[in-house]
Amino acid sequence: MDKSPNWRETFVTAIVKTCGYSAVVFVILIFFFLLRQGLPALFEVKLGDLFTTRWYPIENHFGILPLLTGSLVVTVGAMLIAIPFGIGTAVFLAEIAPRWMREILKPLVELLGGIPSVVLGFLGILLLSPFLRVFLNLPTGLTALAGALLLGAIAIPTTVSIAEDALDSVPQGYREGALALGATKWQTIWRVTLPAARSGVLTALMLGVGRTIGETMAVMMVTGNAPVMAIKLTSILSPVRTMTATIAAEMGEVANGSTHYHVLFLIGLILFLISLAVNITASSVIFKSRKRAERVLS
Amino acid sequence: MAAIKIIVQNLSLQYSDGTESLRDINLDIPANNITVLFGPAGGGKSSLLRCLNRLNDLTEVQTITGKILLDGENILDPKTDVIALRRRVGMVFARPVVLPMSIRQNLTYGLELAGEKHKSKLEEAVERSLKLAALWEEVKDRLEEAAVALSGGQQQRLCLARVLANQPEVILLDEPTSGLDPISTGKVEAALQELKKNYTIILVPHSVQQAARTADFAAFFLQGELVEAAEGKEIFTHPKEKRTEDYVEGRFG
Ligand SMILES: Nc1ncnc2c1ncn2[C@@H]1O[C@H](COP(=O)(O)OP(=O)(O)OP(=O)(O)O)[C@@H](O)[C@H]1O
Ligand SMILES: [Mg+2]
């Protein structure tokens, strides 16, 4: 009789363990699949040819540098937009806005995060890029800038929502302590509240960045998709093509097992490694500051 | 009779949820003494302290009437420079809130906010305030460490030192020893006895015993009302009011 709870324990533990391990197993499986499909590219295309500036698969030119730089320009641009706006909005919501306003604005921001990126891409094509073309007097509005603006807008809700939670959970005592010393509201936010919420704010930024690196649809729709090198400052105003957009656009029409096919997988592998690196950096930073936070709360 | 530093006149305070936490308070607070505000929970002691440095500006206060005169000036006047006021009237809270910085930065932060840049002045303030708060010996070799790594008792004395570094005129302490062991409590109380020579101290104690130990003057608060205010020796031995007597002798609360 008294054995049955024990048996149940074992059973539940086994299920939970399976779930936990399977997540790890899936990541490893995906990684090996990418390796198997992507690595052959390194034998079929010479390394020197891979790192050239000409992407023209039909004539067997597989230079991935334009795609790398394209992704870089769009992502960095998006971060330059999302980080200040995201933190600014979070600070406004958590520290400045009166409660009723915050209770309206925060769900709205989160709703914005739920809009499918295709829909945003649509708005990008119909409104943003014509506006950029006329306003900046460009030959086309489908540029890296349009992609960066759109990606920024996609990353902001995630960033705001998590950063606001982090700021909100800073004990009121910190603010009162600083104010009682004669700090102004801004000095308190800058020197006390934000540093105290550092780990949460960093998490917010990293997740925002993660969304911009992986985002495909919206960028494909508005960046113009021209595989040209984006290394000049003016590149931000010309069309570019990102790694994600290249895979999405070309995967459907390549012959299974061809060199082109393998190179696309190699690009996927590179993307995978980049987001792995971002995640590892993020969690190590967060881990370090969490230990500090735990001491504060003990 | 000592000079009067703060005069509270007909002060009433109502929070926006309707709680009336102070009702027509009149109280004179003498300079260079320890004035103790005591009484059961919810009596309005913290509310009064938070009026004295306008920290109540943060909370949702519905109405506040009456006057608080600090050296003759009404600090409840909307024209008061709140930042300057908070430098003159420092506050130590019940739970030590060290700021997320090093020990040294915790101490120099207030002065830097006030525009002090001279390294030697900051250096001197660090040492002087730590000595006053009886913490210097324990931390002098680890000033660059994160302040959160200190023990609870050390953190509370650091908070006191941080306030002292600002060289205020008045120090408000809201149950500063409620989380401390008897030895740390003893250190804080001894520091206060030393400090009252140069500062006006207003203390909300965490027990009647502490009130009786430390008070030069004492005021008994009950449900938003000031029942009785007198010299410490008086109020704890021959209280005039029955309600004070009951509380002091532990019959309610
Ligand atoms: N921010 C606030 N909003 C609404 N009501 C409050 C607020 N702060 C305090 N009160 C109310 O005001 C009354 C007085 O509270 P106060 O904190 O001043 O009491 P206290 O004497 O310090 O009590 P304790 O010994 O428990 O610290 C209480 O009824 C309390 O519920
Ligand atoms: Mg209180």
Side-chain angles (χ1 to χ4, degrees), chain B residues 229-250:
Chain B
E231 281 196 32
K233 285 196 276 313
E234 282 275 317
I235 206 166
F236 293 108
T237 50
H238 310 292
K240 289 197 192 69
E241 290 270 339
K242 179 85 171 64
R243 288 178 290 174
T244 317
E245 189 181 342
D246 285 349
Y247 182 73
V248 170
E249 289 174 5

Side-chain angles (χ1 to χ4, degrees), chain A residues 99 171-184 187-188 191-192 195-196 292 295-297, chain B residues 50 53 55 58 60 83 86-87 89 91 93 97-101 109-110 112-113 148-149 162-163 166:
Chain A
R99 186 175 311 178
Q172 186 64 10
Y174 278 74
R175 298 183 190 93
E176 294 188 343
L179 289 168
L181 281 177
T184 63
Q187 289 164 334
T188 306
R191 285 291 302 275
V192 177
R292 225 175 289 131
R295 265 188 282 142
V296 179
L297 296 176
Chain B
R50 293 165 62 91
N53 68 350
L55 209 55
L58 300 186
E60 316 212 328
I83 305 295
R86 289 184 187 146
R87 292 201 180 114
V89 183
M91 183 159 187
F93 300 87
V97 268
V98 298
L99 302 175
M101 319 168 180
Y109 183 53
E112 281 167 10
L113 290 178
V148 288
R162 187 175 69 193
V163 167
N166 259 359

